[in-house]
Amino acid sequence: MAAPAQDEEDALSRYRSPLVSRYASAEMGYNFSERKKFGTWRRLWLYLAQAEKSLGLPITDEQIQEMEANLDNIDFKMAAEEEKKLRHDVMAHVHTFAHCCPKAAAIIHLGATSCYVGDNTDLIVLRDGFNLLLPKLARVISRLADFAEKYADMPALGFTHYQPAQLTTVGKRCCLWIQDLCMDLQSLERARDDLRFRGVKGTTGTQASFLQLFEGDHNKVEELDRLVTAKAGFKRAYMVTGQTYSRKVDIGVLSVLASLGASIHKICTDIRLLANLKEIEEPFEKEQIGSSAMPYKRNPMRSERCCSLARHLMTLVMDPLQTASVQWFERTLDDSANRRVCLAEAFLTADIILSTLQNISEGLVVYPKVIERRIRQELPFMATENIIMAMVKAGGNRQDCHEKIRVLSQQAAAVVKQEGGDNDFIARVRADPYFSPIHKQLESLLDPSSFTGRAPQQVAKFLKEEVRPALIPYQSKMGGKIELAL
């Protein structure tokens, strides 16, 4: 056996996916591990044997007990040697399991095909992957909901086309993010709940081998399928399969993860833009370095990581789309190597960006004075209609007032754009005797809260009626703050 130092040196000399070595949680890493995979294979062989025994096949209690005692006693070295010799991963593990279960050797994998363990394990892993992602997504929504509630009333400049638009509030803008994530929460729940078990279907999906085992008894074959499906924790199995479950299932799974990636990319892009405006920043640790050359920089590293990985997540759905399109007849094997990569990477990537976004949402920093200053720069132009209406109420002529404001606003715009100065439109209004009837009203006419419409009320209603109820199933898993990975 190599010394620990040698093992570490060997590991450093080989490529390791940063999804596992650098970013993903231990739980998601384990979900796609060899130990989880092959341990599940053994459990599926046990479920099959238990169900076959209960339906009358000559399988003994001693054989079942021997299998139960060795579910996690996996000799990975032996399995690797067997696979090298047999060029078949399932049969390599059948032999390895049989080696430590000599009494049960004759009935392990009885009537099954490789996809009995391969596909059914994949479905278990996908289901368990969703169960790991859903509480993480719920935590992100919960943290953002707290942020939206806190800043529900704080006016902020809205943007359309990334150009100044009417005011919104910091909390209302956050609700746009939350609404997308709530859609993702529903989509992930639906995708998980729609998953079925492949079940016990045989080599081409006809269950012929099991019908032979049970001497033509169709009822027992159907019951076998039902029993094994229930033992694996599924309510339903696909009624029709080829050798594999339909690869369209993988399209559905990766589609909802890609959609989640799109949501997070949009959110983190918004945060990056707000960081440039110095209105809102992601957390920045005391000793964190933003740039090796520019010590003053506070780069939005976490949000950039989310965007970077979200792009990878969004592209992965192309793999199952193409795979499903070329699965000839009952199956071809050109799906296997592709699926080993894309399914695991999709869940690992989603896991990473959710953990990172949780860290971001727990430490968002708001700079009210900067937000107020930007409002002051743009609000005078937005208030022109209010000023016209106030002048008309005071007895002025609408067209005369409009012309006065047009001239003053263009003069103020020239100061901003050509001279780089501040917006002095209101100062010009104050200095013009024409507007003297409303000079005392100008402060109230420029109150930012009067320009945010029903934003605060929308935040309160949305959080109360849609967001908080959606989080109820995850209340026990909300947990504490999360520390950022490397």
Side-chain angles (χ1 to χ4, degrees):
M1 182 179 294
Q6 184 62 46
D7 289 342
E8 183 177 347
E9 182 60 33
D10 289 346
L12 292 173
S13 301
R14 295 191 302 271
Y15 173 78
R16 292 185 297 169
S17 169
L19 293 177
V20 174
S21 65
R22 189 173 179 89
Y23 297 130
S25 68
E27 295 82 5
M28 191 62 79
Y30 174 75
N31 190 51
F32 287 93
S33 69
E34 299 287 89
R35 187 168 295 281
K36 167 77 177 275
K37 175 181 176 179
F38 297 127
T40 304
W41 283 12
R42 291 194 174 189
R43 282 162 177 78
L44 287 167
W45 283 319
L46 173 65
Y47 300 155
L48 180 62
Q50 289 172 329
E52 288 174 336
K53 178 181 183 298
S54 71
L55 292 170
L57 292 188
I59 297 172
T60 67
D61 289 339
E62 192 175 23
Q63 289 173 314
I64 296 294
Q65 291 165 4
E66 188 179 53
M67 293 173 73
E68 289 175 332
N70 287 281
L71 292 175
D72 298 308
N73 179 27
I74 303 174
D75 186 337
F76 287 98
K77 183 178 180 181
M78 178 182 178
E81 291 171 352
E82 288 287 330
E83 184 173 355
K84 186 175 182 180
K85 179 174 62 177
L86 302 173
R87 309 297 295 179
H88 198 288
D89 57 349
V90 174
M91 286 310 299
H93 278 270
V94 168
H95 289 185
T96 304
F97 196 18
H99 180 74
C100 59
C101 298
K103 295 175 183 176
I107 55 92
I108 293 173
H109 199 67
L110 183 59
T113 187
S114 298
C115 287
Y116 166 69
V117 289
D119 270 31
N120 283 324
T121 292
D122 286 345
L123 290 161
I124 289 170
V125 168
L126 295 179
R127 177 197 64 193
D128 293 351
F130 278 126
N131 284 335
L132 289 172
L133 291 180
L134 281 163
K136 293 190 175 205
L137 177 52
R139 285 197 292 270
V140 170
I141 294 171
S142 175
R143 304 313 192 254
L144 290 175
D146 292 341
F147 179 86
E149 189 170 50
K150 180 177 180 180
Y151 294 100
D153 300 325
M154 181 179 286
L157 183 63
F159 291 94
T160 59
H161 316 277
Y162 200 38
Q163 300 298 315
Q166 288 188 349
L167 300 192
T168 183
T169 69
V170 173
K172 171 63 191 299
R173 174 178 285 146
C174 183
C175 284
L176 298 179
W177 304 340
I178 295 170
Q179 180 166 252
D180 286 353
L181 293 177
C182 284
M183 292 179 188
D184 292 316
L185 187 73
Q186 292 176 340
S187 296
L188 263 66
E189 289 173 337
R190 183 169 57 251
R192 178 199 60 188
D193 295 343
D194 283 349
L195 285 175
R196 301 189 192 185
F197 203 51
R198 176 192 176 271
V200 182
K201 297 297 194 298
T203 55
T204 57
T206 65
Q207 298 178 304
S209 57
F210 296 104
L211 192 63
Q212 184 178 0
L213 278 175
F214 290 103
E215 299 178 344
D217 191 328
H218 290 268
N219 290 331
K220 285 190 175 181
V221 175
E222 288 191 5
E223 182 64 7
L224 177 70
D225 204 1
R226 189 195 67 77
L227 286 173
V228 175
T229 297
K231 286 177 181 291
F234 285 81
K235 295 179 180 179
R236 298 180 298 170
Y238 296 107
M239 294 183 69
V240 176
T241 73
Q243 189 171 91
T244 68
Y245 68 79
S246 171
R247 294 311 184 219
K248 284 187 72 68
V249 173
D250 296 342
I251 296 174
V253 169
L254 265 65
S255 290
V256 298
L257 297 181
S259 182
L260 172 65
S263 299
I264 294 178
H265 197 293
K266 183 266 193 290
I267 293 167
C268 290
T269 299
D270 282 357
I271 293 172
R272 291 165 66 189
L273 293 170
L274 289 167
N276 173 263
L277 298 175
K278 297 180 174 59
E279 292 191 7
I280 293 179
E281 287 182 343
E282 65 178 38
F284 196 90
E285 295 168 17
K286 184 177 180 181
E287 297 183 8
Q288 183 175 332
I289 295 175
S291 168
S292 61
M294 295 167 279
Y296 61 87
K297 292 193 76 177
R298 291 170 64 95
N299 297 336
M301 172 269 291
R302 294 162 170 84
S303 298
E304 290 173 321
R305 176 185 297 175
C306 284
C307 290
S308 180
L309 290 171
R311 286 199 294 273
H312 178 58
L313 179 56
M314 287 186 280
T315 64
L316 287 172
V317 72
M318 291 304 300
D319 278 348
L321 281 168
Q322 295 184 66
T323 294
S325 72
V326 295
Q327 286 300 289
W328 306 342
F329 303 113
E330 280 65 48
R331 78 95 39 114
T332 64
L333 195 58
D334 64 342
D335 64 334
S336 179
N338 184 286
R339 295 175 70 253
R340 287 176 190 266
V341 176
C342 71
L343 295 180
E345 287 201 355
F347 278 87
L348 289 165
T349 306
D351 178 74
I352 295 159
I353 59 178
L354 281 173
S355 295
T356 308
L357 184 56
Q358 180 184 336
N359 177 266
I360 293 169
S361 62
E362 288 171 346
L364 285 173
V365 181
V366 178
Y367 295 106
K369 295 298 182 183
V370 178
I371 294 172
E372 290 171 13
R373 182 177 183 275
R374 184 154 285 108
I375 290 174
R376 287 198 303 271
Q377 287 290 311
E378 301 294 340
L379 189 60
F381 292 151
M382 297 178 194
T384 54
E385 186 175 4
N386 289 10
I387 293 172
I388 291 173
M389 294 300 102
M391 280 295 295
V392 171
K393 288 181 181 179
N397 179 282
R398 194 263 178 199
Q399 275 64 41
D400 292 342
C401 184
H402 183 279
E403 179 60 19
K404 283 276 190 183
I405 287 178
R406 186 188 69 81
V407 172
L408 295 181
S409 62
Q410 288 186 2
Q411 292 171 350
V415 171
V416 173
K417 294 179 180 180
Q418 297 174 21
E419 301 176 18
D422 291 336
N423 188 333
D424 63 359
F425 172 72
I426 296 301
R428 293 175 184 272
V429 171
R430 289 187 189 279
D432 192 325
Y434 175 81
F435 293 99
S436 59
I438 63 164
H439 280 169
K440 293 182 179 179
Q441 300 179 45
L442 285 175
E443 288 298 325
S444 61
L445 291 174
L446 290 166
D447 179 5
S449 64
S450 67
F451 289 82
T452 59
R454 297 193 63 255
Q457 291 75 23
Q458 288 179 346
V459 171
K461 186 177 180 67
F462 174 59
L463 296 180
K464 179 181 179 181
E465 297 185 10
E466 293 196 23
V467 179
R468 303 295 187 191
L471 300 179
I472 290 173
Y474 305 99
Q475 288 299 328
S476 63
K477 299 179 181 179
M478 285 303 173
K481 288 189 174 183
I482 191 169
E483 294 298 323
L484 184 67
L486 288 174

